[in-house]
């Protein structure tokens, strides 16, 4: 049994509005952090936000007024900045003490943003944080040196993508094509379109980082 770190945050990006059903079964969180117009998504879900982060160029003025009136912490950044609003929101969640993050609202926007944000989730900057993300199209699980569980139905697709370099000594259980300490080089497609053999599986990486993608 792996001891999971305490302190969990929900981070809401400004892409496609997450649905309430996307959050069912996701457990609870101590903090909610909205990246810019993620505040509007949070309001639509009836969530109380602890912090709003970003250049505030896309959040609705009405939602921002309500947040200020409610005493929500607003962390405004200049529009000319070197990080996306989501990157700033992830950092803010870490500052609050979160060691586990669920990120929603990633999809539906510009494709370059989605690619950049997925790379961001697996960034070395967040190596000490357990990160999951969900969109209308897929679930994403960042896998490092601690075993990460995957759940679904037998036959569901699971793709394992090495991120930011080679993923070494990859072990899996519960997948049709098991890996027993194998290396997945950067750019490798070997991990594409694996499958769950039951309802549960797990993946662990000896060195490096993987993104486990479960298309819906």
């Amino acid at each position: 049994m792996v001891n999971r770190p305490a302190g969990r945050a929900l981070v809401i990006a400004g892409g496609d509005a997450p649905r309430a059903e996307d959050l069912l079964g996701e457990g609870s969180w101590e903090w909610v952090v909205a990246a810019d117009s993620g505040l509007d998504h949070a309001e639509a879900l009836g969530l109380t936000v602890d912090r709003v982060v970003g250049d505030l160029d896309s959040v609705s003025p009405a939602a921002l007024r309500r947040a200020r009136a409610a005493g929500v912490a607003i962390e405004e950044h200049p529009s000319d900045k070197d990080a996306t609003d989501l990157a700033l929101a992830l950092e803010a969640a870490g500052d609050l003490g979160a060691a586990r993050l669920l990120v929603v609202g990633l999809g539906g926007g510009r494709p370059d943003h989605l690619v950049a944000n997925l790379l961001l989730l697996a960034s070395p900057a967040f190596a000490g944080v357990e990160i999951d993300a969900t969109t209308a199209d897929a679930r994403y699980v960042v896998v490092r040196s601690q075993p990460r569980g995957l759940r679904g139905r037998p036959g569901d697709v699971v793709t394992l993508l090495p991120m930011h370099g080679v993923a070494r000594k990859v072990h899996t259980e519960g997948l049709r094509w098991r890996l027993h300490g194998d290396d997945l080089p950067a750019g490798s497609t070997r991990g594409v379109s694996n499958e769950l053999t039951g309802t549960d599986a797990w993946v662990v990486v000896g060195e490096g980082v993987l993104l486990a993608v479960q298309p819906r």
Side-chain angles (χ1 to χ4, degrees), residues 19-42:
R19 304 168 301 176
E21 53 264 37
D22 294 335
L23 301 181
L24 293 177
E26 294 291 351
S28 60
W29 38 81
E30 286 76 25
W31 305 280
V32 176
V33 178
D36 208 316
S37 59
L39 176 62
D40 292 285
H41 298 334

Side-chain angles (χ1 to χ4, degrees), residues 29 34 40 47 66 85 96 99 106 110 124 141 155 160 171 197 203:
W29 38 81
D40 292 285
L47 297 173
R66 288 190 289 269
D85 290 335
L96 289 170
L106 286 178
R110 286 167 36 184
V141 177
L160 303 177
H171 289 267
T197 57
V203 183

Side-chain angles (χ1 to χ4, degrees), residues 43-58:
E43 277 199 347
L45 292 169
L47 297 173
T48 300
V49 173
D50 297 282
R51 187 173 296 187
V52 180
V53 183
D55 55 18
L56 310 183
D57 66 340
S58 57

Side-chain angles (χ1 to χ4, degrees), residues 5-6 9 11 14 21 38 40 57 82 93-95 103 109 118 121 143 154-155 159 174 195 197:
V11 178
E21 53 264 37
D40 292 285
D57 66 340
D82 295 328
D95 290 343
V103 183
L118 292 177
L121 298 184
V143 185
T159 285
E195 297 175 4
T197 57

Side-chain angles (χ1 to χ4, degrees), residues 90 115-127 129 131 141-144 161-165 208-212:
L90 296 178
V115 173
N117 286 334
L118 292 177
L119 289 168
L120 173 69
L121 298 184
S123 166
F126 303 107
V129 183
I131 300 180
V141 177
V142 179
V143 185
R144 300 184 190 270
L161 299 176
M163 307 289 281
H164 305 295
V209 58
L210 286 176
L211 188 66

Side-chain angles (χ1 to χ4, degrees), residues 125-209:
F126 303 107
V129 183
E130 183 181 286
I131 300 180
D132 294 356
T134 183
T135 68
D137 300 319
R139 182 176 183 85
Y140 305 91
V141 177
V142 179
V143 185
R144 300 184 190 270
S145 60
Q146 293 294 322
R148 298 299 317 276
L150 308 173
R151 302 198 68 184
R153 298 167 299 181
D156 280 358
V157 170
V158 175
T159 285
L160 303 177
L161 299 176
M163 307 289 281
H164 305 295
V166 60
R168 302 186 187 278
K169 299 179 181 178
V170 181
H171 289 267
T172 67
E173 289 284 353
L175 297 181
R176 180 178 176 186
W177 293 282
R178 290 183 60 188
L179 297 177
H180 302 273
D182 302 68
D183 293 349
L184 296 181
S188 170
T189 59
R190 182 182 174 188
V192 174
S193 295
N194 212 322
E195 297 175 4
L196 290 174
T197 57
T199 58
D200 294 275
W202 64 260
V203 183
V204 67
V205 178
E207 179 184 334
V209 58

